Amino acid sequence: LPDYNINLTQKAFWGATGIKKFSTAQCFLVKHNSPGMLVLACNENRPVPTSLTIFNTSGQKIYGFKNRSLTKGQALNIHLGQAGLFIIKIMSPLGVQAFKAFGAQQQNLSPVLVNITGQAAPVHGFKSTDAASDNGFSYTPGDSIRVSVYKQNYYSYPVVLKIKGSQAISFSFDKSTADSTGVSDVYVNLSDTSASTRVTNYDTTSGDVQVKYSGQEPDIKSGDVITVDLDTTGFLRKVVSVTNNNDSTVTLTTARAYLDDVFVNKEIKLNTQLIQPAVHLKSTSTSREIINALTDENGYIHPVKIVYHNAQGKLIVEDVLKDHFKEGRVNIIDFYRDLAMDLYGKEGDNVHLYIKDGHVSLKSDAVFDFDYKDKGSLSRDSKAKKGSLNSFTFYLDSKADFLSKIALDLQKKYEKEKTKRLTRIPKVRAKFIVPPAIPVWITFSVDLYGKYHFESDASLHADWGFESSQTLKTGGTYTKADNNFTPISEYTPSNTVFPLNIEGDINAEARLEIYPRVDVLFYDMFGPFAEIAPYVTGDYHAKMQSQVTDNGSQNFLAWNSNINVGLDFRVGAELTFLGFFKKELGPSTINCFDKPLWSSPKNITLETTLPADISKGDKVDLTYKVTDLLGIPAPACPVYISGDGTLDHQLPITNTKGEVTVQWTLNTT
């Protein structure tokens, strides 16, 4: 329905505001979106023939249906039972909409399951009309209308009513506190309402919130924003409707809300490091006391609670408000994983790529800095101020260690490239209290991936590897003014290489990354991500060649081998949680370094000490040694020697010590 701009002083109707945007509202709205489940609610009063298609990131259609009728009150429940990113396309007479969703964390038997829930909502004669002037302000009894009035620095909730006849509408204006608190007037802290209230249940599928109260019913209206603060996680929700159940409970029908619905003109600085409070805190401490005690000298607020799983899989809650809390667990991300495993195939297969020995560990804190500036935008539902982001910074402050000794067995010519998730780390959640008393929940989801490429033109066995220790910062800064995302990359590397060992006369190349990907979710909404990707590339090239010597043409196998190590950061963000819809940044790839750590053959030295004087016809044994970049002997390496006099062998092959010895007969003194 349109919004009508009414000048109360002049008693004049100035036309409709926001009509086009409202009359072309999207047919389907996201009601829930989490890995494995996307719920799309129909927003149209009349039945809409709907067609749905689901694609994977390769553009392959994996599911679809056509011309199913849906109407208001019904929802599409889309279960995605396989890991990965999916695009859901919906076509209706009202247009085409596309949604992005992630598959389940653990794969189910059924990759896709779609069902329709809810009953068709009855149509009560609602209608949407473009009213460009007061001539269009004409409705009949039984219609419903929504009327808003507003004034700078004040706000008044719209009135929705069913028309029975001519009547006066009274509005109550409230002074906006957004300028003084930095928080929107529509944010309602349930624990601070005049009535004693608490959330007793939250349905993550439907979005319904059950609130129990004592005394007077809490003043919660459509358009209000609340936080559902559970024991181990939290959600940011916008109230759509309120139903009094007549048993000291109300049911709030809610939809997803975003940070700009809450923060209007405010800088928020968060650091996930769990610290000892500056003063003793307890469960009865006020929000202001908690915030002051957990804010450091640089203005960063630290968590009041961290929820994680220990090495035995037990859920642990570290809460600074508990008397038994002791500082000790420092990093929001802190894990070690053994990586000895098959990457491709298994022993005895024609192709077997595996990690003989390996591990990865990551200790990391996360730092966030939001800068919201008030631009005077208004929420359509409440006519209260919304925030406008000026800039956003995120980075991981980390210490990462990687060890990977890799082996490859091939029975034939082969080439393969693949990215594979190796393991998932249990999620970690942090709860912050942001002034004046807003709980902000941030979830860290970590996956370990292996990305490899190898090719060979013959059978072989090869093994090689690297060990890397990194102190690093990785993230990025987004500024709205220039719509620019600037990566953050600082690193201090230390690397060790395990040389390439080849059995077989072949040409081979391989690259392997073992890297963690950290996804950051605000109130379970996807936000920034970072990948810390050390990699190793190895190559071995061999070719039969011919060399003319004093004894005629001689064939030999020429070869060389190299290992390079490097470090890539890949960072990006999905900005929906900030109120920017369908805006994604990155991923941006920053190559920190790429350098050779090993090559062979690299050096040749004369081991023999030559005599000071010698006569024509004398014989001297010359010993040469061939080594790699690290000084390790290079066996089976051909060495070509020429010069005055004669040699008993011009093209010897190094032994296991990397040495060759030839006899030199001089033809001069």
Side-chain angles (χ1 to χ4, degrees):
L1 297 173
D3 296 336
Y4 293 92
N5 191 351
I6 304 171
N7 187 309
L8 299 181
T9 303
Q10 299 181 18
K11 299 181 181 180
F13 169 63
W14 284 2
T17 64
I19 292 175
K20 291 188 177 180
K21 178 180 180 181
F22 195 70
S23 62
T24 57
Q26 293 181 326
C27 184
F28 287 90
L29 302 176
V30 176
K31 200 167 186 179
H32 177 80
N33 191 356
S34 64
M37 168 66 83
L38 174 66
V39 180
L40 301 175
C42 183
N43 193 40
E44 187 62 23
N45 291 309
R46 288 177 168 77
V48 178
T50 302
S51 299
L52 178 144
T53 310
I54 300 177
F55 302 90
N56 59 23
T57 51
S58 300
Q60 178 184 8
K61 177 182 175 182
I62 61 173
Y63 182 87
F65 63 70
K66 293 183 178 180
N67 294 325
R68 294 191 185 179
S69 182
L70 286 91
T71 189
K72 197 158 192 170
Q74 293 183 308
L76 287 166
N77 297 283
I78 303 169
H79 303 263
L80 301 168
Q82 290 185 346
L85 177 65
F86 298 89
I87 304 299
I88 292 87
K89 179 181 178 182
I90 293 184
M91 299 181 64
S92 71
L94 298 178
V96 179
Q97 292 178 256
F99 303 89
K100 181 171 68 174
F102 288 89
Q105 300 170 4
Q106 296 180 347
Q107 294 189 2
N108 300 323
L109 294 177
S110 176
V112 178
L113 177 65
V114 179
N115 56 52
I116 300 173
T117 59
Q119 300 296 320
V123 178
H124 296 293
F126 292 179
K127 60 185 178 182
S128 177
T129 304
D130 283 350
S133 68
D134 56 352
N135 294 329
F137 191 72
S138 176
Y139 292 87
T140 60
D143 286 349
S144 290
I145 190 170
R146 178 177 181 272
V147 184
S148 300
V149 297
Y150 52 92
K151 178 181 178 181
Q152 187 177 9
N153 297 326
Y154 293 84
Y155 73 100
S156 180
Y157 274 81
V159 173
V160 180
L161 51 88
K162 185 174 290 187
I163 297 176
K164 297 180 180 179
S166 298
Q167 65 183 98
I169 304 174
S170 298
F171 289 89
S172 175
F173 279 97
D174 290 315
K175 176 72 174 179
S176 174
T177 61
D179 291 337
S180 59
T181 65
V183 175
S184 175
D185 298 290
V186 301
Y187 176 72
V188 177
N189 187 338
L190 292 179
S191 62
D192 287 347
T193 55
S194 58
S196 176
T197 61
R198 60 186 178 91
V199 174
T200 58
N201 185 57
Y202 172 60
D203 189 323
T204 57
T205 301
S206 67
D208 288 346
V209 179
Q210 299 291 330
V211 177
K212 187 174 182 61
Y213 64 92
S214 60
Q216 184 179 358
E217 179 183 347
D219 184 21
I220 304 175
K221 302 175 287 297
S222 174
D224 282 346
V225 175
I226 63 172
T227 48
V228 180
D229 190 24
L230 305 181
D231 186 44
T232 59
T233 190
F235 303 89
L236 190 63
R237 307 296 295 179
K238 179 180 289 187
V239 177
V240 177
S241 65
V242 182
T243 303
N244 192 325
N245 302 318
N246 297 319
D247 59 355
S248 295
T249 67
V250 293
T251 299
L252 309 179
T253 302
T254 67
R256 174 165 284 175
Y258 306 92
L259 293 191
D260 67 330
D261 290 318
V262 176
F263 300 111
V264 178
N265 190 357
K266 198 175 191 66
E267 184 178 10
I268 307 167
K269 300 172 70 174
L270 307 176
N271 186 320
T272 61
Q273 184 180 13
L274 197 63
I275 63 171
Q276 192 73 33
V279 297
H280 179 69
L281 295 173
K282 49 189 177 180
S283 57
T284 56
S285 298
T286 66
S287 297
R288 174 52 57 189
E289 289 172 337
I290 296 171
I291 294 167
N292 289 341
L294 295 176
T295 302
D296 63 26
E297 63 275 11
N298 295 315
Y300 283 93
I301 302 172
H302 292 259
V304 67
K305 182 187 294 187
I306 288 180
V307 182
Y308 66 100
H309 290 80
N310 64 11
Q312 290 72 42
K314 181 181 178 181
L315 185 68
I316 304 295
V317 179
E318 297 282 5
D319 192 334
V320 301
L321 303 183
K322 302 295 184 182
D323 291 335
H324 66 271
F325 168 75
K326 294 181 180 179
E327 184 182 12
R329 186 180 188 278
V330 177
N331 302 112
I332 189 74
I333 300 171
D334 187 354
F335 69 86
Y336 174 96
R337 282 293 186 275
D338 190 296
L339 291 180
M341 65 176 68
D342 292 328
L343 293 175
Y344 187 82
K346 59 182 183 297
E347 186 176 359
D349 287 354
N350 286 332
V351 182
H352 185 203
L353 176 67
Y354 56 101
I355 301 175
K356 296 194 300 181
D357 183 20
H359 66 251
V360 59
S361 68
L362 179 64
K363 296 178 182 291
S364 184
D365 288 312
V367 176
F368 305 90
D369 196 337
F370 302 85
D371 185 14
Y372 278 95
K373 296 295 184 184
D374 172 30
K375 297 296 182 182
S377 60
L378 296 173
S379 165
R380 181 183 64 83
D381 294 322
S382 62
K383 295 304 177 189
K385 288 183 178 180
K386 294 181 65 173
S388 179
L389 185 76
N390 182 45
S391 64
F392 164 62
T393 297
F394 150 77
Y395 66 85
L396 296 175
D397 193 356
S398 309
K399 174 72 167 61
D401 289 289
F402 303 87
L403 169 65
S404 184
K405 294 182 179 179
I406 312 140
L408 173 64
D409 291 311
L410 289 177
Q411 305 299 323
K412 59 182 180 180
K413 179 179 179 179
Y414 204 78
E415 180 176 358
K416 184 70 177 180
E417 183 170 24
K418 188 177 182 180
T419 299
K420 178 181 180 180
R421 189 173 71 191
L422 305 181
T423 184
R424 178 180 290 278
I425 311 301
K427 290 182 178 180
V428 185
R429 291 183 168 91
K431 176 185 176 181
F432 301 83
I433 303 295
V434 173
I438 303 172
V440 175
W441 283 89
I442 304 178
T443 301
F444 295 84
S445 178
V446 183
D447 290 316
L448 285 181
Y449 287 90
K451 183 178 181 180
Y452 57 83
H453 169 268
F454 59 85
E455 59 179 298
S456 170
D457 61 9
S459 63
L460 84 155
H461 167 84
D463 54 76
W464 72 102
F466 74 105
E467 187 169 13
S468 178
S469 179
Q470 318 282 348
T471 300
L472 48 90
K473 288 184 179 180
T474 176
T477 296
Y478 170 73
T479 52
K480 184 180 179 182
D482 54 8
N483 195 30
N484 188 45
F485 183 69
T486 305
I488 296 171
S489 61
E490 298 179 18
Y491 58 91
T492 305
S494 173
N495 299 291
T496 302
V497 69
F498 302 101
L500 183 66
N501 174 43
I502 294 283
E503 297 175 12
D505 299 337
I506 47 81
N507 293 301
E509 295 182 0
R511 173 176 167 131
L512 175 72
E513 298 178 3
I514 302 291
Y515 63 92
R517 175 187 168 105
V518 179
D519 285 296
V520 182
L521 297 84
F522 291 82
Y523 297 107
D524 269 7
M525 289 180 281
F526 277 96
F529 71 86
E531 295 175 354
I532 303 166
Y535 61 85
V536 58
T537 59
D539 65 76
Y540 180 91
H541 297 284
K543 185 177 182 181
M544 290 301 299
Q545 294 197 5
S546 180
Q547 176 69 46
V548 177
T549 70
D550 292 344
N551 298 320
S553 179
Q554 185 174 344
N555 295 326
F556 64 97
L557 182 70
W559 62 271
N560 66 75
S561 185
N562 303 276
I563 290 182
N564 281 29
V565 297
L567 175 66
D568 283 346
F569 290 160
R570 292 186 285 266
V571 295
E574 181 179 317
L575 297 187
T576 303
F577 76 100
L578 295 173
F580 296 91
F581 298 99
K582 297 182 180 179
K583 179 181 280 295
E584 295 184 20
L585 305 174
S588 298
T589 300
I590 309 101
N591 179 251
C592 300
F593 64 88
D594 186 309
K595 63 180 181 180
L597 281 193
W598 178 80
S599 62
S600 183
K602 182 65 176 178
N603 303 303
I604 184 168
T605 57
L606 177 63
E607 300 291 287
T608 303
T609 301
L610 295 176
D613 298 303
I614 202 166
S615 300
K616 181 177 180 180
D618 286 350
K619 298 182 183 299
V620 179
D621 289 334
L622 303 178
T623 299
Y624 291 90
K625 186 172 185 177
V626 180
T627 58
D628 63 15
L629 183 64
L630 303 179
I632 300 172
C637 179
V639 178
Y640 177 71
I641 306 169
S642 67
D644 292 337
T646 58
L647 301 164
D648 65 343
H649 196 178
Q650 276 192 274
L651 195 58
I653 306 297
T654 57
N655 59 21
T656 57
K657 296 181 180 180
E659 295 178 346
V660 295
T661 300
V662 297
Q663 192 175 72
W664 178 29
T665 302
L666 277 73
N667 62 3
T668 185
T669 297

